[in-house]
Amino acid sequence: MEVEKKWWKEQVIYQIYPRSFNDSNGDGIGDIPGIISQLDYLKYLGVDIIWLSPIYDSPNDDNGYDISDYYNIHPEFGTMEDFDALLSGLHIRGMKLIMDVVVNHSSDEHEWFKKSIASKDSDHRNYYYWKPGKNGGPPNNWQSFFGGSAWELDPKSGEYYLHIFSKKQPDLNWENEKVRNEIYKILAFWLDKGVNGFRMDVIPLISKRLEFADATQPTFGKVVEEVYSNGPRVHEFIKEINERVLSKYDVMTVGEGPGISKDVGLNYVGHDRGELNMIFHLDHMFLGFGPRGRFDQLPYNWNDIKRIFKDWYVSMGTSGWVSIFLDNHDFARLVSRFGNDKEFRNESSKMLAMLILTMRGTPCIYQGTEIGMTNVTFNKIEDFKDLETLNFYKEFTNEGMAPDEFIGIANENGRDNVRTPIQWSGADNGGFTDGKPWIAMNPNYNEINVEAALSDKQSIFYFYKELLHLRKNAPALIYGEWDVIDQESENVYVYTRKFDKNAYLIVLNHSDEHSAVDLNAFSAKLLVMSNYNNRMKDVLIPWECRLYKLMIN
Ligand code: ISL
Ligand code: CA
């Protein structure tokens, strides 16, 4: 069987985290008019689909992933008119927009929750999960993703409500048909406006295991699979979303999901399942997460990453589809984590660009990565804004970890690394705002910024631009079979993509070392792109990448 052709396989996604993209009115917060003024920039780069992180009304406990009104734009981002202008601005340019839907939970400030918490007899009580405590404590031992119990006591009723994320993100009760109907109405509202699809936040978590048994697994990652993810009705619910809403439109969906392993991936995206179009699986992103998550790091290496890519490729076969990405708003900057953001920032950014744009899957580029933005170093806890970092800071330092040690770990792995604003120029605050940015700028904006990137033909930006153009016109890079040449090689990643009579050879050095490579098996080849002007024979320079066209007959 051949891979089915679909527009969302051929296009490339670019994620905008609106708070940090571009501020138009000097309040220090990126906004929709700010995005609109940069649409030509995005078009010039050559991306197709904009994934907009949440822009709905929200008390911002988790920067918009806690929604208090699904039908309104947060005033700090603008108005519905601004949104409509953004959507048409994209469509006029031949681009698309996908919304971030966060429907595993709402904000505790959503009117449903206000009614739900008002009384035990409220007709909205069962919009959420309420349980009596056990032995003077919460109903079970479930832990929240952001630390502490996943249950919060409401002193008035004496019952606890479930919140897998922060206590300001109560989990919606999908068992309740009224909740589902409300959600379908919301999705239809945005589709009727003309949006082109959805990124579905933590979608494998929407069906709960109603026995609410204690978690028994030793690591948080395993607990997620044991108790949170892939619940008994998850596929029934996703199919219903399709039948009731999505199937009536030509749109795409990408499900985000902790707990979707390669073994269950096809259940979500198999081409005959009627569920999602593709997934952001997180296996490679969770590498190095210890028993207690990202602030509890374990060593890992490139062979672990390569194994995960391989496993997913095999398990998807020609039936399922994934998105390929190495960063987003929840993880460290790609070049700081997987490349070398010091002496090889330029080279390793380009090598990683080549990786994500030549694998099988829809590439997703996070804002700022196209100019090689890096992690930031904060020196005091007050500089951090992310609730996850702040919660775990308390937890870990209460247990005796030195504050500086925690801050060091947060500077490597925390989510604020990717949330510092886009550096548009070398002007004050990197040209992001005329006011005071909501989170400190990365001070390296003098050197790393869009203006500098656009004026240098050798920049990371132009490398992305060229690759994006190349991929668009190379079915082999989109649909082609993927064959890894030497999976276990220590520093080098070599693979081919083949489709009909078209084939490419991709050669990547993912290390700071000069590394031997043997390409003699590929005699007839033409170099199309590389991140160095000079090459050595049988040796790759640190972070070198090459893309060849293979001559086959
Ligand atoms: O970043 C993480 C915490 O360590 C991830 O585990 C993350 O919480 C998970 O991938 C789900 O992420 C999504 O839902 C969260 C939100 O905070 C993230 O920003 C979002 O991408 C709750 O809505
Ligand atoms: Ca603003």
Side-chain angles (χ1 to χ4, degrees), residues 157-174:
S157 66
E159 288 189 333
Y160 291 78
Y161 65 86
L162 176 68
H163 62 89
I164 296 181
F165 294 90
S166 99
K167 64 176 184 223
K168 286 184 70 61
Q169 294 168 302
D171 282 60
L172 282 161
N173 179 3
W174 277 69

Side-chain angles (χ1 to χ4, degrees), residues 197-232:
F198 300 114
R199 177 260 187 194
M200 305 186 124
D201 193 66
V202 291
I203 200 72
L205 272 51
I206 59 177
S207 160
K208 311 299 182 218
R209 291 174 176 79
L210 300 175
E211 51 286 18
F212 293 105
D214 275 347
T216 60
Q217 291 291 326
T219 67
F220 190 67
K222 289 261 179 276
V223 165
V224 169
E225 286 184 48
E226 180 191 13
V227 295
Y228 294 147
S229 230
N230 315 312

Side-chain angles (χ1 to χ4, degrees), residues 110-157:
H110 194 287
E111 77 173 286
W112 300 331
F113 190 78
K114 289 187 192 157
K115 289 181 182 161
S116 185
I117 199 171
S119 110
K120 274 187 171 176
D121 312 315
S122 155
D123 58 353
H124 280 68
R125 189 67 169 179
N126 63 353
Y127 271 48
Y128 298 86
Y129 290 101
W130 290 96
K131 292 267 165 249
K134 227 168 152 179
N135 314 323
N140 67 22
N141 70 356
W142 291 9
Q143 293 288 298
S144 139
F145 272 69
F146 297 144
S149 171
W151 296 95
E152 180 73 9
L153 176 66
D154 162 38
K156 209 173 89 195
S157 66

Side-chain angles (χ1 to χ4, degrees), residues 15 17 51 53-54 62-66 100 102 104-105 145-146 164-166 169 199 201-202 205 220 224 256-258 282 286 289 292-295 328-331 386-388 392 415 419:
Q15 181 188 359
Y17 194 70
W51 151 25
S53 275
D62 188 16
N63 284 356
Y65 284 87
D66 47 321
D100 208 320
V102 189
N104 170 72
H105 43 270
F145 272 69
F146 297 144
I164 296 181
F165 294 90
S166 99
Q169 294 168 302
R199 177 260 187 194
D201 193 66
V202 291
L205 272 51
F220 190 67
V224 169
E256 186 242 12
L282 300 171
F286 285 159
F289 283 40
R292 294 171 65 188
R294 76 172 69 225
F295 302 108
N328 66 28
H329 66 295
D330 288 334
F331 299 93
D386 177 19
L387 85 160
E388 182 187 39
F392 280 106
R415 305 196 296 183
R419 298 178 178 186

Side-chain angles (χ1 to χ4, degrees), residues 318-361:
T318 52
S319 174
W321 198 255
V322 294
S323 170
I324 304 286
F325 68 102
L326 289 171
D327 60 0
N328 66 28
H329 66 295
D330 288 334
F331 299 93
R333 281 276 172 196
L334 153 160
V335 67
S336 303
R337 182 170 179 192
F338 299 108
N340 176 334
D341 64 4
K342 304 205 166 56
E343 56 273 49
F344 298 110
R345 186 183 67 86
N346 184 299
E347 294 75 11
S348 64
S349 287
K350 290 176 179 172
M351 176 259 154
L352 293 164
M354 188 173 283
L355 173 63
I356 61 176
L357 287 160
T358 58
M359 304 283 280
R360 182 142 96 185

Side-chain angles (χ1 to χ4, degrees), residues 429-471:
N429 292 316
F432 163 73
T433 180
D434 294 335
K436 184 175 181 297
W438 70 276
I439 186 173
M441 300 294 300
N442 190 321
N444 64 17
Y445 66 77
N446 283 315
E447 183 206 341
I448 304 170
N449 62 64
V450 170
E451 199 177 272
L454 290 175
S455 64
D456 171 9
K457 287 285 168 205
Q458 302 294 317
S459 70
I460 299 161
F461 176 91
Y462 285 108
F463 199 78
Y464 268 95
K465 183 172 164 58
E466 195 178 336
L467 265 171
L468 283 160
H469 181 76
L470 186 79
R471 181 182 185 274

Side-chain angles (χ1 to χ4, degrees), residues 22-32 76-77 433:
N22 191 25
D23 176 23
S24 71
N25 63 352
D27 65 357
I29 299 171
D31 46 49
I32 297 174
E76 67 192 8
F77 293 137
T433 180

